[in-house]
Amino acid sequence: IVRMSTVTKRMTAEQLAALPDHGKRYELIDGVLRTMTPAGYEHGRVAMRLGSLLEHHVHEHRLGVVCAAETGFLLSKNPDTVRAPDVAFIGRERLRQLDQLSGYLAMAPDLVAEVTSPTDSYTDVEKKALAWLNAGTRAVLVVDPGTRTVRVYRSDDTTHIDALSGDQQIDVANVVPGWNVTAADIFV
């Protein structure tokens, strides 16, 4: 009897960074390369609107930085996980603690926003939000253009999820002080 085994060679964050630019977007999950499908119009429009609202407030109050969708964050090593949210916020104090600001930041952002696409399953989106929280992100906004809702995932000692729509206030003041937006503001 001949037994054959297949061994999947895992990729590192360094190998991911060295990939040639073929116009594709990737994430690395536990060492496995995942190709990201380009976002559709509504996804891109809503992500930009949210990022714009957040960036304006963060810049005006000198709270830190807001990063766009192409920004990779190294969340774990051996095997490596590099994720790129649609929008990310990192507070000023945490940025000061970093020795290196080039390449993938070896940290989880304070706030992450993920805009869903019509093909995303609820289970996959929830797993991704919880993975961000487990990596150290303090709040995750899951923005659904189809239902015009925002789910806010928070992790203090337990995970809290708030589903918001219309004029309901998105409360992440413990992460982004003074940022006051409603769910409806994002979908204008």
Side-chain angles (χ1 to χ4, degrees):
I1 296 176
V2 176
R3 294 193 176 182
M4 298 177 68
S5 66
T6 54
V7 176
T8 303
K9 184 170 179 353
R10 296 197 184 270
M11 180 179 275
T12 66
E14 292 78 16
Q15 291 168 321
L16 173 62
L19 286 177
D21 184 1
H22 295 298
K24 294 182 181 177
R25 193 172 149 216
Y26 302 102
E27 285 187 327
L28 191 62
I29 312 300
D30 293 327
V32 178
L33 187 65
R34 303 257 172 100
T35 303
M36 308 287 287
T37 306
Y41 167 76
E42 189 65 5
H43 181 284
R45 187 187 73 75
V46 169
M48 184 63 189
R49 173 73 180 156
L50 174 63
S52 177
L53 291 167
L54 183 60
E55 165 61 22
H56 177 76
H57 178 78
V58 166
H59 179 76
E60 183 178 321
H61 298 283
R62 301 172 194 227
L63 298 174
V65 297
V66 176
C67 300
E70 300 302 317
T71 308
F73 293 88
L74 178 61
L75 302 179
S76 65
K77 294 285 288 174
N78 298 321
D80 293 3
T81 294
V82 176
R83 289 230 184 232
D86 290 312
V87 178
F89 163 74
I90 306 160
R92 185 178 62 214
E93 293 305 315
R94 290 190 63 222
L95 280 173
R96 287 183 182 155
Q97 297 169 9
L98 293 175
D99 295 331
Q100 176 188 344
L101 293 177
S102 62
Y104 304 127
L105 291 184
M107 67 183 313
D110 293 301
L111 174 77
V112 160
E114 294 284 2
V115 179
T116 64
S117 296
T119 57
D120 290 338
S121 77
Y122 179 85
T123 303
D124 288 343
V125 171
E126 185 167 55
K127 280 183 192 175
K128 194 172 193 179
L130 295 174
W132 278 114
L133 293 177
N134 288 333
T137 297
R138 296 169 54 202
V140 179
L141 305 179
V142 175
V143 181
D144 187 340
T147 61
R148 297 176 67 87
T149 59
V150 178
R151 289 190 315 271
V152 182
Y153 291 72
R154 288 185 244 299
S155 181
D156 300 325
D157 291 328
T158 60
T159 301
H160 303 281
I161 305 169
D162 298 325
L164 308 169
S165 62
D167 290 332
Q168 291 178 303
Q169 190 78 32
I170 297 171
D171 181 13
V172 289
N174 63 323
V175 181
V176 186
W179 190 48
N180 297 309
V181 295
T182 66
D185 291 333
I186 295 170
F187 301 108
V188 171

